[in-house]
Amino acid sequence: MALKFLGIFPDTPTNDSPTIWLDDATGDLVIQSWTADEETVTEAQRVGSIPGHSTEIPAHESMIRLPAVMRQYLPGPEGADQ
């Protein structure tokens, strides 16, 4: 695994800051961010995704809330002009 740093929350303090990395080997994004609060989780479960798909969060997954300002660090589709 070779992680490439993409960005951190602007004007971040020393600790507790959303950060994004790219795994060069897989193309996966690795995201550290704020854990979604219960209201957000409940609303996501209410909205759902696809019919018949569970809305529970498995033990090996987490729901995070990525601040809008962090979207600037998300890479676009492969091959897209940026």
Side-chain angles (χ1 to χ4, degrees), residues 5-18:
F5 171 78
L6 297 180
I8 193 166
F9 194 83
D11 301 322
T12 184
T14 305
N15 300 315
D16 190 35
S17 301

Side-chain angles (χ1 to χ4, degrees), residues 2 17-18 29 32 36 39 45 49 51-52 56-57 59 61-62 64 71 73 80:
S17 301
L29 292 175
Q32 171 191 328
E39 181 181 3
Q45 290 172 326
S49 56
E56 296 302 311
I57 301 171
E61 295 182 7
S62 298
I64 62 168
R71 292 173 52 185
Y73 302 118

